[in-house]
């Protein structure tokens, strides 16, 4: 088994549907997302962590570390980046960081990866029009509140985030 999921169409073409495992190809290298999450979670600064793969428009896939800190900290990105660089390869170290009060969970109490993916896309790609930035925004705040947007834009972004979490 290669770990790939595919579907053969009636005309004989094969459609790639994704991976069975949690591997992603980043900069031409296979990265095991669970290994990155395990290394990140082992840091004493981290209460909970997950890694998301974002495809930035007109760029290749990039890793985003989504972190709930054990205690509030002003600049946790630098020590966490150093923590991972000692333990992982350069391609396995996330390019972007998103700090949340808590990671979203589903009705079963497990990490809701689809909601986390939507939050990452909303907060990292949406506000910067395709240029992701590291962000330290609590889960209940909107990106517009930190960017000085108009009330209408704040409402639209807030509604988008609600729908992203619900869907």
């Amino acid at each position: 088994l290669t770990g790939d999921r595919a579907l053969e169409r009636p005309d004989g073409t094969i459609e790639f549907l994704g991976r069975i495992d949690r591997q992603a190809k980043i900069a031409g290298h296979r990265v095991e997302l669970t290994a990155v999450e395990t290394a990140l979670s082992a840091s004493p600064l981290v209460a909970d962590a997950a890694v998301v793969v974002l495809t930035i428009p007109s760029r290749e896939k990039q890793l985003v570390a989504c972190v709930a800190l054990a205690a509030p900290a002003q600049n946790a990105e630098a020590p966490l980046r150093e923590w991972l660089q000692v333990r992982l390869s350069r391609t396995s170290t996330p390019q972007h960081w998103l700090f949340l009060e808590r990671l979203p969970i589903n009705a079963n109490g497990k990490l809701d990866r689809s909601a986390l993916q939507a939050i990452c896309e909303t907060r990292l790609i949406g506000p910067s029009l395709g240029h992701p930035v590291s962000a330290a925004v609590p889960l209940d705040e909107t990106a517009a509140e930190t960017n000085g947007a108009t009330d209408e834009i704040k409402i639209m972004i807030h509604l988008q985030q609600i729908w992203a979490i619900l869907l």
Side-chain angles (χ1 to χ4, degrees):
L1 276 170
T2 65
D4 294 325
R5 282 187 326 167
L7 173 68
E8 186 175 1
R9 297 266 177 213
D11 65 355
T13 60
I14 297 176
E15 180 182 350
F16 177 70
L17 299 175
R19 302 234 358 126
I20 296 169
D21 54 19
R22 296 210 49 240
Q23 287 186 356
K25 198 166 193 175
I26 307 291
H29 300 278
R30 285 267 172 221
V31 174
E32 180 58 53
L33 301 180
T34 304
V36 179
E37 290 174 352
T38 301
L40 192 54
S41 295
S43 168
L45 297 175
V46 176
D48 199 7
V51 177
V52 172
V53 176
L54 284 184
T55 303
I56 309 305
S58 74
R59 294 187 188 168
E60 52 184 56
K61 296 177 183 177
Q62 298 182 353
L63 294 179
V64 178
C66 302
V67 179
L69 295 172
Q74 287 291 12
N75 186 11
E77 181 180 336
L80 288 174
R81 187 178 294 277
E82 290 174 20
W83 173 271
L84 289 181
Q85 287 173 342
V86 171
R87 290 159 178 78
L88 300 172
S89 68
R90 195 181 98 248
T91 54
S92 295
T93 302
Q95 291 87 359
H96 308 285
W97 297 78
L98 183 64
F99 295 93
L100 303 168
E101 288 181 359
R102 65 191 179 286
L103 300 185
I105 57 169
N106 61 23
N108 296 327
K110 295 181 180 181
L111 176 65
D112 189 342
R113 291 193 183 276
S114 60
L116 188 59
Q117 181 81 28
I119 290 169
C120 286
E121 290 172 358
T122 300
R123 297 221 178 136
L124 298 179
I125 296 176
S128 58
L129 300 173
H131 301 287
V133 294
S134 295
V137 181
L139 189 59
D140 57 346
E141 287 185 22
T142 64
E145 290 171 347
T146 61
N147 292 337
T150 66
D151 287 339
E152 289 178 355
I153 293 173
K154 288 179 186 178
I155 291 169
M156 294 298 289
I157 291 174
H158 188 67
L159 287 172
Q160 180 185 14
Q161 289 179 338
I162 290 170
W163 277 107
I165 290 169
L166 291 173
L167 296 175

